[in-house]
Amino acid sequence: MVSWHIRGEMDEIDVDQTGHPTMFSIRMHHGGEFTSFPGRKYIRGKKTFVDLLDIDTFSVHDIDEMMEDLGYASIGKPLYYHFQRPLGDLDFGLFALASDEDVRYLGSFVAKHKLIEVYIEHDKTTLHTYLMSPTHSKVRITEITEPPSCSKTLFLEWHSTPAVDLEDDMDHMEKESGNDPTPTGHLEKDLGNDATVTDHMENDLGNDATLTDHMENDLVNDANDFGKFGELESDNDESDDSDFFVDIENILDDINVDMQDFEMNIDKDVEWVGGSSNTVVDEGTQDEALEVINTDFLASDSSSDEGINGQRKKSIRAIQRAHENDEALVSEPFYIFQKFGSAKEFKDKVKLHAIETRRELALEKNDKNRVRWVCKGTIPKLGPNVEVNDEEEICPWVLLASKWKKDVNWTVKTYNKVHKCLQTRTVKAWLCKNSYNGGLRDYIVELQTRNPDTTVRVDVESEGNPHSETRTFRRIYICLGALKKGFAAGKRDFLGFDGAFMKGPFPGQILSAVGLDGNNGTYPLAYAVVETENISSWTWFLSCLGEDLGLNTNSNFTFITDRQKGILNAIADLFPCAENRYCVRHIRDNMRKQWRGKPFEDLLWTCATATHVQQFNKGMEELKKLNKDCYEWLKKIPPQHWSRSHFTGRAHSDVILNNLCETFNGKLNEGRDKPIITCLEFIREYLMKKIVNVEKAIGKCTGPLTPTAMQTLENIKKQAEDYRSVFCGNGKYQVSGPWMDQCAVDVVQQTCSCRKWELTGMPCKHAVATIWEMRKNSKDVGIPETWVHEVYWLKTWKQMYSFKIEPINGRSMWEKSVCPTTLVPPKHHVTIGRPKKKRRKSAYEIDDMVKGNSASRILQSVTCSKCNNIGHNARSCKGQKANAPSGSGGPGGSGKGKGKAG
């Protein structure tokens, strides 16, 4: 019969347990779940107190009975018990409560702490306490009784054993296992027979696997499910960039690159300044009777410990040793009597602390004897009784270190660690400044040293004083040597240009040049960080790129852009002979501002995808019949920039959407809010991993063509089955098919009058039908795959990704730059309001047009029921005359009528 007592959270216990060293209470948190690390909390749960527990008789089975009393016995789902170490938090203070050893560890706190927090997880556990132990682990087999309809099942769990005295633990195991000090002997004794653990597991699990095999399989599966800090990982595939105008003939097939572990070696907010240790040292594991010498700490106090002064110094050293252990617990970085070798060392650590905690710390006193730091953070004023002229509250955080008379070190004398203020973003600006001061030049040296033939160019603001030792950073351009070689091996003179905004405290844009490989995957070639998108920045970027690719004014390259600010003029000035395509989706977005509706979009797409001029003209005439104003507006955009009918075949691609650049920008989303060096490293590491991942995919491919090219050609072959080819002499054929589709094919020139073969480099349906006809006549022409341009060959694709980006060292191993000037960051840009994290969406994107399960009325034209004018409703009507001009409302539907009252 149990002696403990269950009470509600509001009930009071009428028995005092303080005089009983073995008696304690627990507060059970059940029915809820843990949030993710860090800042873990237990949410949506209930609390129940259990009193009059005796640690001498307490066991895990008592918790099982408590859970049955609380109504969880009929659920039939596994339960996971954890207890929180007193004075610990939910991030690092939770330990498993599943065995007698765990109960013994809990009992070490009962004498001083009478209330123990116990947390229950239902069905599954998201914590690592059942898989990881501070000292050693054991295998434990637990027999769990299922509901009557289920049989008993043996569960194998990797049991977390708390750090205890190993000698006592082994004695305990020897007594229970028959002098067998191994975990296996303990298990055999529990199972009640002489069979080995392996035999029991083989019989109960129904196969011949050994215990080691099961453990390895379980641990591998668990390791795959657990992410950083032991938390279960969750997928988040949300992307900032999207495209709703899909070219099904040119779907991008981009290999996925996992960048989740990019920040394992750096702090998310701190750049190359190190981080706190993740090693967890439990205060309960330290043997108080054993004094351990810390070889990492050099004590400077050499005076005698005699008398009162000696006792004081002895106490201070004890405090210092205790807090050094706490630092391993990633606790407070400062404490009273903490010593620093110099004022600079003290100030540097405070600055680092300000960055890590995002606090606005400032020097209040700084002289030869005292350094005092205070917090200038903002404390919010909430509530209905707040007055405008109320005196601003000051954050109580303060830290003082001093050095007096004959002191050798600076000692912390005052420290209040409490913050009442909000976290700030201004410390990140200070951090970014350090990235420019020499660090960026050192990074460039390391990058070029490890990656031969890499081009890096830095542009600075003009300096009036030529003798100045500083230069203000403006732009940086990077083209890795491996990417230059790989792009040349791809044999496709086609590049897309785009820009993406930086999200940090300094203004800027990331410009990128992205190519297309033979499998319709993106192949980034060069990238740059510039101050903004304008003629100057695009001209500078394209000039650097032109030098790397050997381009000049007569080069016949093909580009595709979104018609960004300044890029059209830059291309026209530098590469007047190049073919410059416009992204059709952006043309569509501009057209929507005046002419909305599916008929307009369908006709635009018909004209853009037309492969010959006659088909293009037919589409334009249909648009003219639909709306003449729209036709005149679209006619002003030269068709050689947006319609396939006017493209050349130099690029071996008929792409009309700039998806390749938008796809690349989406991959950089997590790196665009970082300081300059971390941002550049994020891009480089992504590209390094991407090349390796694509190469792995290539190794699994067979056949003469890339997978995407093979699938495209197979679709063409199916269409060619309905066509008939007639030989006309001189290598020319007349090919006819359904819907009066008839074209002329020239196998010598490898062209077709539909121009599809010429545009893409892949035989069209007419050409495939001709090749089959030639094979029927015993001509040695090979299969259709041999007529495909080498851009799509598997061999070409493999050669393109054979050039690898080399790894680089950490900052501590970088060679110092010999440049005599120091880079300083551009002017800090303070944005108004909350900093934007996502790109600016188009006004007509579908995300804004659908609200829940209903169509939104956003941007819908409003017609007044009184005067029949557009731009306002009857409530705001001022008596405008019927059929009067509607002012700025018009087709856009956003302005209000400007007619005067009648």
Side-chain angles (χ1 to χ4, degrees):
M1 184 175 181
V2 297
S3 60
W4 36 264
H5 168 66
I6 296 181
R7 62 183 171 94
E9 185 176 1
M10 303 302 297
D11 299 332
E12 295 183 358
I13 183 172
D14 52 4
V15 177
D16 185 13
Q17 301 177 148
T18 56
H20 304 276
T22 62
M23 302 297 292
F24 70 105
S25 302
I26 65 174
R27 176 160 46 195
M28 298 180 62
H29 303 257
H30 55 91
E33 60 184 359
F34 286 107
T35 60
S36 60
F37 181 97
R40 183 183 289 124
K41 297 180 181 179
Y42 192 85
I43 59 174
R44 293 191 290 273
K46 302 177 182 178
K47 298 178 183 178
T48 301
F49 286 80
V50 183
D51 303 313
L52 303 179
L53 293 171
D54 192 339
I55 192 61
D56 291 339
T57 60
F58 178 75
S59 69
V60 179
H61 299 293
D62 291 336
I63 302 182
D64 294 336
E65 295 180 17
M66 297 173 194
M67 297 303 293
E68 290 180 5
D69 293 342
L70 293 175
Y72 293 97
S74 60
I75 298 179
K77 296 181 178 180
L79 301 174
Y80 297 86
Y81 306 148
H82 314 273
F83 77 95
Q84 181 180 355
R85 189 190 73 244
L87 305 181
D89 56 12
L90 294 184
D91 285 333
F92 299 100
L94 289 175
F95 293 87
L97 187 56
S99 69
D100 292 339
E101 286 80 9
D102 298 337
V103 174
R104 288 176 58 196
Y105 184 51
L106 182 150
S108 64
F109 302 103
V110 168
K112 296 183 179 179
H113 304 277
K114 293 301 181 182
L115 180 62
I116 304 296
E117 306 285 344
V118 175
Y119 293 83
I120 315 296
E121 283 189 292
H122 303 262
D123 192 18
K124 63 180 180 179
T125 179
T126 59
L127 304 183
H128 66 287
T129 57
Y130 276 77
L131 298 175
M132 192 178 301
S133 171
T135 56
H136 66 286
S137 301
K138 298 176 185 160
V139 179
R140 176 172 175 265
I141 296 180
T142 306
E143 186 175 77
I144 299 180
T145 305
E146 297 292 336
S149 59
C150 303
S151 61
K152 294 183 178 180
T153 307
L154 285 175
F155 287 83
L156 175 68
E157 67 182 25
W158 191 250
H159 177 237
S160 172
T161 306
V164 295
D165 192 327
L166 295 182
E167 216 171 275
D168 294 341
D169 190 36
M170 295 302 292
D171 293 339
H172 173 74
M173 294 174 60
E174 288 179 2
K175 292 178 182 179
E176 294 193 1
S177 61
N179 296 326
D180 186 354
T182 64
T184 306
H186 186 88
L187 291 171
E188 292 173 9
K189 187 68 176 178
D190 287 345
L191 291 170
N193 54 42
D194 297 330
T196 63
V197 178
T198 305
D199 295 335
H200 277 286
M201 291 306 301
E202 290 174 355
N203 294 334
D204 287 282
L205 293 172
N207 54 43
D208 296 330
T210 64
L211 174 63
T212 304
D213 295 335
H214 284 292
M215 288 172 57
E216 289 178 355
N217 293 337
D218 288 345
L219 287 177
V220 169
N221 293 335
D222 290 334
N224 291 335
D225 292 337
F226 277 75
K228 192 174 181 181
F229 302 107
E231 293 293 331
L232 289 175
E233 295 179 332
S234 60
D235 294 330
N236 186 0
D237 295 330
E238 181 181 359
S239 174
D240 287 347
D241 300 300
S242 57
D243 179 37
F244 310 106
F245 222 1
V246 180
D247 183 3
I248 60 175
E249 297 179 359
N250 291 286
I251 299 296
L252 287 179
D253 185 13
D254 219 29
I255 300 296
N256 185 41
V257 177
D258 184 9
M259 293 295 291
Q260 291 184 354
D261 60 346
F262 170 75
E263 294 169 350
M264 289 181 63
N265 297 322
I266 61 171
D267 192 284
K268 290 184 178 180
D269 304 309
V270 182
E271 173 144 8
W272 307 114
V273 291
S276 57
S277 172
N278 290 331
T279 306
V280 179
V281 179
D282 183 69
E283 60 185 13
T285 66
Q286 304 299 322
D287 191 344
E288 297 179 356
L290 180 63
E291 184 175 1
V292 180
I293 298 176
N294 186 352
T295 58
D296 294 330
F297 173 70
L298 182 62
S300 60
D301 294 327
S302 59
S303 60
S304 172
D305 290 342
E306 299 293 334
I308 296 179
N309 289 336
Q311 294 179 3
R312 172 181 171 84
K313 294 179 180 179
K314 195 173 183 179
S315 300
I316 291 175
R317 287 201 298 271
I319 294 174
Q320 292 170 345
R321 287 195 296 268
H323 280 84
E324 284 175 0
N325 292 333
D326 284 345
E327 281 191 338
L329 263 175
V330 290
S331 62
E332 288 297 326
F334 305 104
Y335 56 90
I336 304 296
F337 296 121
Q338 185 177 9
K339 293 185 180 299
F340 294 90
S342 63
K344 182 180 183 302
E345 179 186 350
F346 174 59
K347 287 185 273 189
D348 288 344
K349 185 162 185 177
V350 177
K351 291 178 181 178
L352 176 60
H353 177 67
I355 296 170
E356 292 176 339
T357 59
R358 291 181 177 272
R359 301 294 181 180
E360 193 173 352
L361 306 184
L363 278 170
E364 186 180 60
K365 184 178 290 295
N366 184 18
D367 56 36
K368 64 180 181 178
N369 296 116
R370 292 171 296 180
V371 175
R372 181 183 179 91
W373 290 85
V374 296
C375 181
K376 298 290 187 178
T378 303
I379 300 179
K381 296 181 180 180
L382 305 176
N385 299 324
V386 176
E387 298 292 339
V388 177
N389 297 325
D390 283 352
E391 185 176 347
E392 186 175 348
E393 188 177 357
I394 300 175
C395 182
W397 189 96
V398 64
L399 178 63
L400 169 68
S402 61
K403 176 180 177 292
W404 295 98
K405 298 180 180 179
K406 297 182 180 181
D407 289 346
V408 178
N409 301 315
W410 288 74
T411 306
V412 174
K413 300 293 181 63
T414 304
Y415 179 44
N416 185 354
K417 64 182 179 181
V418 177
H419 278 284
K420 292 185 179 180
C421 60
L422 299 176
Q423 290 181 318
T424 180
R425 291 180 59 89
T426 58
V427 294
K428 200 168 186 178
W430 175 85
L431 172 67
C432 292
K433 292 180 181 179
N434 284 354
S435 301
Y436 292 94
N437 295 338
L440 184 58
R441 293 196 188 276
D442 297 343
Y443 171 76
I444 295 172
V445 173
E446 175 68 17
L447 187 65
Q448 292 182 310
T449 302
R450 298 292 170 179
N451 291 268
D453 200 28
T454 293
T455 301
V456 181
R457 300 185 186 278
V458 176
D459 186 32
V460 297
E461 300 287 351
S462 58
E463 176 60 49
N465 180 14
H467 302 290
S468 175
E469 297 181 355
T470 61
R471 295 292 186 272
T472 302
F473 173 87
R474 182 163 65 170
R475 305 163 182 158
I476 183 171
Y477 164 90
I478 298 178
C479 183
L480 297 170
L483 298 181
K484 280 191 281 188
K485 297 175 182 177
F487 180 78
K491 303 180 184 300
R492 177 178 270 169
D493 295 340
F494 179 79
L495 282 174
F497 298 128
D498 198 7
F501 63 90
M502 296 282 287
K503 303 177 184 179
F506 293 103
Q509 295 274 333
I510 298 179
L511 307 184
S512 57
V514 184
L516 202 63
D517 64 24
N519 195 51
N520 261 23
T522 61
Y523 192 87
L525 174 60
Y527 50 95
V529 176
V530 300
E531 72 282 9
T532 187
E533 284 191 85
N534 52 33
I535 297 179
S536 176
S537 61
W538 274 115
T539 301
W540 180 79
F541 178 75
L542 294 178
S543 299
C544 296
L545 182 65
E547 293 181 13
D548 281 328
L549 297 181
L551 304 181
N552 52 51
T553 56
N554 298 323
S555 297
N556 295 322
F557 228 78
T558 301
F559 306 126
I560 184 170
T561 69
D562 295 341
R563 297 193 293 176
Q564 299 96 325
K565 297 178 180 178
I567 192 171
L568 298 183
N569 293 334
I571 293 177
D573 293 340
L574 296 174
F575 314 114
C577 296
E579 179 180 313
N580 187 15
R581 301 180 185 177
Y582 300 161
C583 180
V584 176
R585 183 168 67 88
H586 288 77
I587 297 178
R588 186 273 317 265
D589 290 343
N590 291 331
M591 186 180 70
R592 275 181 166 182
K593 296 177 181 179
Q594 302 182 64
W595 303 281
R596 298 191 300 273
K598 193 172 183 298
F600 292 99
E601 295 184 16
D602 290 344
L603 288 176
L604 173 63
W605 189 249
T606 298
C607 296
T609 57
T611 58
H612 53 85
V613 176
Q614 294 78 8
Q615 185 181 5
F616 170 80
N617 292 335
K618 181 180 178 181
M620 290 295 290
E621 287 299 321
E622 292 180 5
L623 179 62
K624 185 176 182 180
K625 294 177 182 178
L626 178 65
N627 189 296
K628 188 175 181 180
D629 292 337
C630 182
Y631 165 80
E632 295 294 340
W633 174 83
L634 187 59
K635 188 178 178 181
K636 294 179 181 179
I637 306 176
Q640 63 266 25
H641 295 305
W642 61 276
S643 176
R644 291 171 179 167
S645 60
H646 292 71
F647 290 169
T648 66
R650 298 194 295 257
H652 309 298
S653 173
D654 60 354
V655 168
I656 54 177
L657 299 176
N658 198 13
N659 291 351
L660 63 166
C661 288
E662 294 180 356
T663 299
F664 177 64
N665 289 339
K667 304 296 184 181
L668 306 183
N669 185 48
E670 296 300 323
R672 300 206 310 255
D673 63 343
K674 303 294 187 294
I676 181 69
I677 297 179
T678 308
C679 176
L680 296 175
E681 261 302 275
F682 186 94
I683 300 173
R684 186 198 64 85
E685 187 168 319
Y686 165 77
L687 297 174
M688 179 178 67
K689 290 183 175 181
K690 176 183 172 64
I691 291 177
V692 175
N693 290 354
V694 175
E695 189 180 39
K696 291 179 181 178
I698 294 175
K700 301 177 183 178
C701 298
T702 58
L705 306 179
T706 66
T708 301
M710 287 288 292
Q711 183 60 46
T712 302
L713 187 59
E714 288 299 320
N715 295 335
I716 293 175
K717 289 179 181 179
K718 292 179 182 179
Q719 299 173 10
E721 294 175 355
D722 298 330
Y723 284 78
R724 181 175 60 90
S725 180
V726 179
F727 181 59
C728 304
N730 297 326
K732 297 181 179 179
Y733 289 79
Q734 176 179 295
V735 185
S736 58
W739 309 101
M740 296 187 297
D741 183 11
Q742 182 170 307
C743 294
V745 175
D746 188 339
V747 294
V748 177
Q749 299 294 328
Q750 295 190 4
T751 60
C752 177
S753 57
C754 75
R755 297 190 70 248
K756 191 72 174 177
W757 193 0
E758 178 185 349
L759 288 172
T760 63
M762 183 172 292
C764 60
K765 53 191 174 182
H766 311 103
V768 171
T770 300
I771 295 171
W772 286 343
E773 179 65 24
M774 295 168 65
R775 288 175 60 87
K776 288 181 182 179
N777 296 319
S778 302
K779 293 185 178 181
D780 187 15
V781 295
I783 58 177
E785 284 78 0
T786 59
W787 293 79
V788 177
H789 193 274
E790 58 181 339
V791 165
Y792 303 100
W793 291 357
L794 183 63
K795 181 175 66 175
T796 303
W797 192 32
K798 185 176 182 179
Q799 179 67 17
M800 190 176 190
Y801 286 90
S802 64
F803 303 97
K804 307 298 188 301
I805 297 175
E806 299 296 328
I808 68 171
N809 295 317
R811 182 169 186 174
S812 61
M813 300 176 65
W814 290 355
E815 182 182 348
K816 294 297 182 181
S817 173
V818 296
C819 184
T821 59
T822 301
L823 284 178
V824 296
K827 184 179 180 181
H828 179 235
H829 176 67
V830 180
T831 58
I832 300 176
R834 179 178 296 178
K836 294 180 175 59
K837 285 286 186 178
K838 296 185 177 181
R839 70 175 177 89
R840 182 178 299 172
K841 294 185 177 181
S842 168
Y844 297 92
E845 287 191 9
I846 197 170
D847 287 350
D848 299 328
M849 303 303 292
V850 178
K851 299 296 182 182
N853 296 324
S854 303
S856 172
R857 297 183 63 184
I858 187 173
L859 303 174
Q860 182 176 347
S861 300
V862 179
T863 303
C864 178
S865 60
K866 291 183 178 180
C867 63
N868 293 327
N869 281 326
I870 298 175
H872 65 275
N873 55 22
R875 180 179 298 179
S876 59
C877 181
K878 298 181 180 179
Q880 292 93 330
K881 295 182 179 180
N883 299 324
S886 57
S888 61
S894 59
K896 291 188 176 182
K898 295 183 179 179
K900 297 182 179 180

